[in-house]
């Protein structure tokens, strides 16, 4: 393993790794979707528009996606699906004790057999924030492709764990293996590691600190 790859994996306190040498197995919140991939997905949003002829459902306005211990927020979420036999791609359920209904999608797995509804792709757009425990990933777009079992985060990607920060143009997570890779189109992947004892202790009741800008 080259020194550039090692630096990226460890979030080293320096500029680390060009696009061709970006780190693998990078710890990040998107891996939560890989760990929880067999669990259903719950979505809350201000509005939902379904275009069944296009096999497309669009959530908009304060979108919140929860799968297991992983949460994603964005301004919009588009679900592309296949549907045969008249089955609905999504089901609306009432949240216990709540006024608003939540939409529940099946797990993000490879497309199912004929006659079933399958999610082909999900696209989260604008101000995408993924949180899992003390890890946060931010970007402008996240694409979940069930045909390849790959998640791609694009647009000024920032990975944060407590005060540790890693930046790049693109983050790829294999939902089958859980392996991640961060890349930069120009320049280098950048990382910073805070080795102080206070690094993870500066968190309030709401959880980890927001990503450092």
């Amino acid at each position: 393993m080259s020194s550039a790859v090692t630096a990226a994996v460890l979030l080293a306190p320096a500029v680390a790794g060009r696009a061709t040498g970006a780190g693998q197995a990078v710890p990040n919140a998107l891996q939560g979707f890989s760990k929880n991939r067999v669990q259903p997905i719950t979505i809350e949003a201000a509005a939902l528009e379904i275009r069944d002829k296009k096999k497309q459902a669009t959530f908009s306005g304060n979108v919140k996606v929860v799968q297991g211990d992983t949460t994603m927020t964005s301004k919009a979420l588009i679900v592309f699906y296949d549907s045969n036999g008249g089955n609905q791609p999504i089901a609306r359920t009432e949240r216990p004790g709540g006024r608003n209904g939540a939409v529940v999608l099946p797990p993000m797995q490879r497309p199912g057999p004929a006659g079933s509804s399958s999610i082909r792709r999900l696209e989260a757009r604008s101000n995408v924030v993924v949180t899992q425990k003390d890890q946060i990933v931010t970007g402008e777009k996240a694409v979940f492709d069930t045909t390849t079992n790959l998640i791609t985060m694009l647009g000024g990607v920032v990975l944060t764990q407590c005060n540790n920060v890693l930046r790049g143009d693109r983050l790829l997570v294999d939902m089958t293996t859980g392996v991640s890779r961060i890349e930069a189109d120009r320049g280098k992947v950048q990382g910073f590691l805070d080795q102080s004892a206070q690094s993870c202790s500066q968190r309030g009741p709401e959880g980890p600190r927001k990503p450092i800008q």
Side-chain angles (χ1 to χ4, degrees):
M1 179 180 290
S2 70
S3 59
V5 172
T6 303
V9 170
L10 297 179
L11 304 180
V15 175
R18 293 186 181 276
T20 55
Q24 295 198 11
V26 180
N28 64 85
L30 277 179
Q31 288 176 326
F33 288 113
S34 173
K35 184 185 73 173
N36 300 311
R37 67 184 183 276
V38 298
Q39 298 188 35
I41 305 160
T42 302
I43 304 174
E44 298 176 15
L48 168 61
E49 179 181 81
I50 299 177
R51 299 185 178 183
D52 199 47
K53 288 185 177 180
K54 292 186 175 182
K55 306 302 180 188
Q56 180 177 316
T58 302
F59 298 83
S60 58
N62 299 320
V63 179
K64 181 179 179 181
V65 178
V66 179
Q67 187 179 35
D69 62 357
T70 305
T71 300
M72 179 176 70
T73 59
S74 62
K75 289 187 176 180
L77 176 71
I78 303 176
V79 180
F80 301 87
Y81 60 90
D82 292 320
S83 180
N84 298 310
N87 292 335
Q88 292 295 323
I90 55 180
R92 181 175 295 277
T93 61
E94 289 295 327
R95 188 198 312 164
R99 295 182 179 179
N100 298 323
V103 174
V104 179
L105 300 182
M108 282 188 295
Q109 298 178 319
R110 294 183 184 278
S116 65
S117 298
S118 302
I119 299 173
R120 290 188 289 108
R121 189 169 80 255
L122 280 76
E123 292 186 9
R125 299 179 180 178
S126 189
N127 295 336
V128 182
V129 180
V130 180
T131 305
Q132 191 215 15
K133 298 181 180 178
D134 62 353
Q135 297 178 335
I136 303 174
V137 179
T138 64
E140 284 303 307
K141 183 178 181 180
V143 178
F144 300 75
D145 190 334
T146 61
T147 59
T148 60
N149 262 6
L150 185 68
I151 308 174
T152 305
M153 179 81 87
L154 304 165
V157 177
V158 180
L159 289 71
T160 306
Q161 185 175 30
C162 300
N163 291 336
N164 303 323
V165 181
L166 187 63
R167 301 172 186 270
D169 295 314
R170 188 166 46 255
L171 171 65
L172 302 96
V173 177
D174 188 321
M175 285 190 286
T176 302
T177 64
V179 174
S180 301
R181 180 179 179 86
I182 187 165
E183 302 175 340
D185 294 325
R186 293 176 294 179
K188 300 179 180 180
V189 174
Q190 296 180 322
F192 175 80
L193 175 63
D194 184 354
Q195 296 177 316
S196 70
Q198 301 295 322
S199 176
C200 258
S201 63
Q202 300 173 3
R203 291 179 290 172
E206 285 122 9
R209 297 177 58 179
K210 293 181 180 181
I212 300 172
Q213 299 299 321

